[in-house]
Amino acid sequence: MQKTIFSGIQPTAIPTLGNYLGALGNWVSLSKEHRCIYSIVDMHAITVRQDPETLRRRIREVYALVLACGLDHDNTVLYVQSHVPAHAELCWILNNFAMFGELGRMTQFKEKSAKHADNINAGLFTYPVLQTADILLYGAGIVPIGEDQKQHLELARNIAIRFNGVYGDVFTVPEPVIPKMGARIMSLADPSHKMDKSDPNPAGYISMLDDKDTIIQRCKRAVTDSGGEVRYDPAEKPGVSNLMTIYALCTGQELEAVGRAFEGQGYGAFKTAVGEAVDSVLSPVRTKAAGLLEDPDALGALIAGGAERAKAAAAPVLQKVRDVIGL
Ligand code: AMP
Ligand code: TRP
């Protein structure tokens, strides 16, 4: 039987080039050959305080952007998580199969607790259980993600195996798909950290809605090491290596070919070329997203349609879970 693919993205900010190269691009290529279900995970977003109006707007913007990456709305289920109450219900059930200790070991929980020390709430703690519910609800066998989500996937697998151990083969045990190149695009301002859409310093990222001038400026100002050689060496030259990865992915070339092409040229010419390559990938997405956002009624209809299809897809697994546990 063909495997189902599931993945999600938080509507906390406009997605970045890192989201695109690490995840969204993969979502689109997988959607050409598989049954794919993708979610704008707004319930995950509220584990950190959000301004209601901004959140409402972002959900629609991110929905439009994901669609604009090239998904075919008729053949892919794209929906907003909070429109499908089954997620919250399954999350509650799975909370009883997730251990306090294992949740406390999650790197993202530790990082977010440090960042939001005044609001270490229970939702932040059980965030990965909601993520597990997302995946298991649809019987997904494959989950395309960036490197940072690997630990959450491992937890989802453990919860599924634990539950199946008690109740029989209810859940499909999911496997992550992490791209070989681009799984961790680094910040342009500090190549020791990942590019993050919630980075307070905008010099660190390229948002998928940035215009060409901004993209070129960000690339030109990207932090690079001293010495002007364009050579791939993540340990010694993390800044240049990150830009080479970005360039290679945006132009479909191998890293060696990129190194050869820019041999003997300074950083200046290379950085401008990176900016041009990024813009050529993002500009059609930007135009398509703008078109979708221009017609709020049509977009609203797509979002509503996605919710209906996701609800129908989630119902059988939830019913089975209720049955086996005696609810
Ligand atoms: P998030 O922005 O946390 O909602 O992440 C959505 C998807 O993008 C997840 O699959 C992440 O692993 C992926 N992702 C986020 N940041 C990066 C990055 N800097 N490089 C590669 N993938 C990323
Ligand atoms: N936690 C993921 C992130 O921050 C987003 C997410 C939520 C997700 N549910 C998911 C990713 C299910 C894959 C599968 O990137």
Side-chain angles (χ1 to χ4, degrees):
M1 214 180 75
Q2 215 200 17
K3 282 190 176 160
T4 298
I5 316 266
F6 183 93
S7 200
I9 183 164
Q10 297 189 69
T12 42
I14 298 298
T16 67
L17 179 66
N19 292 123
Y20 184 80
L21 298 178
L24 298 178
N26 239 347
W27 291 18
V28 175
S29 26
L30 287 164
S31 75
K32 314 251 186 248
E33 285 172 23
H34 296 87
R35 171 185 188 242
C36 291
I37 305 182
Y38 298 130
S39 186
I40 311 302
V41 291
D42 52 350
M43 298 206 295
H44 279 103
I46 61 169
T47 54
V48 169
R49 294 280 174 266
Q50 304 289 338
D51 169 61
E53 280 319 307
T54 312
L55 180 60
R56 222 187 306 282
R57 193 178 72 241
R58 288 274 182 257
I59 291 168
R60 297 174 69 88
E61 285 169 346
V62 176
Y63 193 100
L65 254 174
V66 172
L67 200 50
C69 290
L71 289 179
D72 174 356
H73 197 268
D74 292 336
N75 292 319
T76 304
V77 179
L78 179 65
Y79 72 101
V80 177
Q81 184 190 35
S82 67
H83 296 178
V84 182
H87 289 258
E89 190 173 342
L90 184 60
C91 176
W92 180 254
I93 293 171
L94 294 181
N95 271 331
N96 306 291
F97 296 84
M99 299 302 146
F100 191 85
E102 64 188 349
L103 293 178
R105 282 194 294 275
M106 294 293 117
T107 312
Q108 188 172 300
F109 171 68
K110 290 192 226 165
E111 280 172 7
K112 287 199 179 171
S113 302
K115 205 164 146 195
H116 305 277
D118 55 340
N119 183 23
I120 307 176
N121 61 67
L124 201 59
F125 191 64
T126 61
Y127 175 115
V129 185
L130 179 58
Q131 180 163 352
T132 301
D134 296 344
I135 298 164
L136 301 189
L137 253 186
Y138 300 96
I142 296 176
V143 183
I145 43 170
E147 181 74 37
D148 61 340
Q149 294 302 312
K150 209 170 148 185
Q151 198 186 26
H152 285 168
L153 241 289
E154 201 47 48
L155 179 80
R157 288 172 58 83
N158 289 339
I159 293 177
I161 292 167
R162 193 174 295 148
F163 189 98
N164 286 352
V166 182
Y167 298 104
D169 258 351
V170 175
F171 293 129
T172 304
V173 180
E175 278 179 45
V177 168
I178 300 172
K180 281 194 199 69
M181 213 200 317
R184 193 170 168 82
I185 298 294
M186 308 312 279
S187 157
L188 300 178
D190 174 3
S192 67
H193 285 96
K194 70 162 187 170
M195 184 180 285
D196 184 355
K197 57 179 150 45
S198 308
D199 188 342
N201 177 10
Y205 59 82
I206 290 171
S207 134
M208 286 179 66
L209 289 180
D210 280 341
D211 59 26
K212 184 169 184 179
D213 286 350
T214 309
I215 293 175
I216 304 257
Q217 281 307 320
R218 294 267 159 88
C219 289
K220 276 191 173 161
R221 292 193 190 138
V223 169
T224 38
D225 10 79
S226 54
E229 199 192 346
V230 180
R231 177 167 54 85
Y232 188 75
D233 182 346
E236 293 295 320
K237 299 167 82 70
V240 172
S241 302
N242 188 42
L243 290 176
M244 286 178 77
T245 303
I246 292 172
Y247 186 82
L249 288 167
C250 290
T251 57
Q253 294 181 44
E254 301 290 332
L255 283 168
E256 297 86 71
V258 177
R260 273 197 307 276
F262 288 92
E263 207 176 305
Q265 297 189 41
Y267 285 164
F270 174 58
K271 286 177 168 179
T272 306
V274 176
E276 297 278 353
V278 170
D279 182 65
S280 69
V281 167
L282 291 186
S283 119
V285 179
R286 201 157 70 221
T287 308
K288 183 122 195 262
L292 288 162
L293 288 164
E294 247 170 38
D295 189 343
D297 290 344
L299 182 60
L302 291 175
I303 295 176
E308 284 319 307
R309 286 159 63 199
K311 274 185 202 160
V317 171
L318 186 60
Q319 190 51 53
K320 183 139 192 228
V321 170
R322 291 167 136 271
D323 288 347
V324 296
I325 56 181
L327 293 178

